[in-house]
């Protein structure tokens, strides 16, 4: 970061505004290093690399969030900037309007009436789907969005999709899903993986697209529609890959490791 500030695609960031926020930002939770910021009336979360990262986590999250948006999912807006020669992900907050006005957002754990530990381990997508049918506005549209988010988590290798990584906005007329956030491809040792929350009523949580499509009825979708959603996502990832990796300034080596590693791992296509 230069002394006079630096540019993102949409706005200019001054070093003077940035550094104090880094030092004094209050915590919003989650495992990774982050700070809260204000810029031009917007409230943002800055997510930083960690010294323990074994792959470019921040750039990977930017790629996943950007591709999710291109897949038509409702995602928090992100941009990537550099500070002290390291990438920093800026995420627009959905629990604030402008700098100050609060919007109530409850995590999926709260929506499901579960505490973080130990019952948080029992949070499931299918129970969230039931809650969506009961208490959310536009349940069918929301179920389709939830199915799309699960599919995309499989597509991009985000197995850290636990109950605090989903939230609902609480409004006068009911609940609605918050924009998706923390879609962060995870390190993968070996091939097969599991999602953090079960999407099938019998506990199915394999990171496998056919297995998810087989449970489409939980999300009020027929098999053909579910398959179309999944196929369209895979196509978007393939088509937009180079462009989004360029935006993320990923090296050739890193993008090769991501593609077929976290993103579109061959095991997700096994039938
Ligand atoms: N765009 C957002 N708007 C409002 N709140 C958010 C947003 N993104 C994240 N949060 C809140 O901040 C918490 C931490 O953020 P996030 O999940 O991105 O961090 P993390 O450290 O990567 O989390 P984890 O522990 O799941 O790896 C979330 O659980 C959520 O409550
Ligand atoms: Mg999180």
């Amino acid at each position: 970061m230069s002394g006079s500030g630096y540019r993102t695609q949409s706005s200019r960031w001054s070093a003077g505004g940035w550094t104090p926020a880094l030092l004094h930002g209050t915590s919003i939770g989650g495992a990774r290093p982050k700070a809260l910021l204000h810029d031009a009336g917007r409230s943002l979360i800055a997510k930083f690399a960690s010294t323990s990262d074994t792959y470019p986590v921040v750039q990977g999250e930017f790629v996943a969030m950007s591709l999710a948006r291109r897949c038509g999912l409702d995602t928090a807006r992100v941009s990537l900037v550099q500070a002290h020669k390291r990438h920093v992900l800026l995420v627009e907050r959905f629990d604030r309007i402008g700098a100050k006005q609060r919007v109530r957002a409850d995590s999926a754990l709260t929506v499901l009436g579960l505490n973080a530990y130990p019952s948080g381990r029992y949070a499931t997508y299918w129970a969230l789907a039931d809650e969506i049918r009961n208490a959310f506005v536009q349940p069918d549209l929301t179920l389709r969005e939830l199915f799309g988010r699960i599919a995309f988590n499989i597509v991009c290798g985000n197995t850290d999709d636990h109950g605090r990584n989903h939230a609902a906005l609480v409004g006068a007329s009911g609940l609605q899903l918050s924009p998706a956030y923390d879609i962060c491809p995870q390190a993968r040792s070996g091939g097969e993986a599991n999602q953090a929350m079960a999407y099938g009523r019998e506990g199915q949580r394999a990171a496998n697209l056919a297995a998810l499509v087989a449970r489409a009825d939980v999300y009020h979708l027929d098999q053909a529609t579910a398959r179309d959603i999944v196929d369209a996502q895979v196509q978007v990832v393939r088509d937009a890959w180079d462009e989004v990796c360029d935006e993320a300034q990923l090296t050739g080596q890193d993008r090769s490791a991501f593609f077929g590693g976290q993103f579109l791992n061959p095991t997700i296509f096994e039938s």
Side-chain angles (χ1 to χ4, degrees):
M1 182 170 66
S2 74
S4 59
Y6 54 95
R7 281 179 184 282
T8 67
Q9 283 170 342
S10 57
S11 63
R12 185 174 183 282
W13 295 77
S14 75
W18 173 257
T19 307
L22 272 182
L23 295 175
H24 302 299
T26 43
S27 174
I28 194 170
R32 295 190 54 79
K34 57 182 77 61
L36 302 179
L37 301 173
H38 294 298
D39 174 70
R42 293 181 310 161
S43 295
L44 303 165
I45 301 172
K47 298 185 75 172
F48 307 106
S50 162
T51 47
S52 57
D53 289 348
T54 54
Y55 62 101
V57 175
V58 170
Q59 288 158 286
E61 185 169 339
F62 173 82
V63 170
M65 292 288 290
S66 303
L67 288 171
R69 174 171 284 267
R70 286 176 185 236
C71 287
L73 297 173
D74 177 21
T75 59
R77 283 189 182 278
V78 293
S79 56
L80 200 61
V81 297
Q82 291 218 3
H84 300 294
K85 296 189 178 159
R86 284 170 176 253
H87 289 104
V88 178
L89 183 74
L90 301 178
V91 189
E92 275 189 26
R93 291 180 68 176
F94 50 74
D95 60 346
R96 293 286 183 280
I97 297 171
K100 292 212 174 103
Q101 193 183 336
R102 289 167 187 264
V103 175
R104 183 173 156 195
D106 287 349
S107 79
L109 287 188
T110 304
V111 170
L112 294 171
L114 300 168
N115 293 321
Y117 188 83
S119 57
R121 282 186 295 169
Y122 306 116
T124 62
Y125 281 118
W126 62 260
L128 183 57
D130 288 345
E131 209 52 51
I132 287 171
R133 268 188 282 275
N134 289 334
F136 279 55
V137 294
Q138 296 189 299
D140 278 339
L141 266 181
T142 308
L143 287 168
R144 187 188 174 99
E145 171 75 16
L146 180 63
F147 179 88
R149 293 185 190 187
I150 304 169
F152 191 78
N153 283 333
I154 295 175
V155 162
C156 77
N158 177 27
T159 49
D160 192 36
D161 51 345
H162 55 77
R164 286 204 185 287
N165 282 339
H166 302 276
L169 306 177
V170 185
S173 47
L175 301 172
Q176 65 183 87
L177 276 186
S178 75
Y181 59 94
D182 202 15
I183 306 176
C184 190
Q186 299 296 303
R188 219 175 171 108
S189 57
E192 285 168 20
N194 284 311
Q195 299 310 117
M197 301 204 300
Y199 49 75
R201 291 190 190 278
E202 293 80 38
Q204 294 90 354
R205 57 192 191 101
N208 178 282
L209 294 170
L212 173 64
V213 168
R215 275 86 205 178
D217 59 318
V218 176
Y219 306 91
H220 275 192
L221 296 170
D222 59 53
Q223 300 277 302
T225 307
R227 211 170 297 117
D228 285 350
I229 292 171
V230 165
D231 290 348
Q233 289 190 1
V234 170
Q235 198 57 47
V236 167
V237 172
R238 291 201 168 115
D239 291 348
W241 182 253
D242 287 336
E243 197 180 326
V244 174
C245 287
D246 286 349
E247 283 174 25
Q249 297 175 350
L250 271 178
T251 64
Q253 200 177 3
D254 286 335
R255 65 181 79 183
S256 304
F258 270 135
F259 196 91
Q262 283 93 337
F263 292 82
L264 302 183
N265 187 285
T267 59
I268 71 172
F269 298 108
E270 284 169 5
S271 49

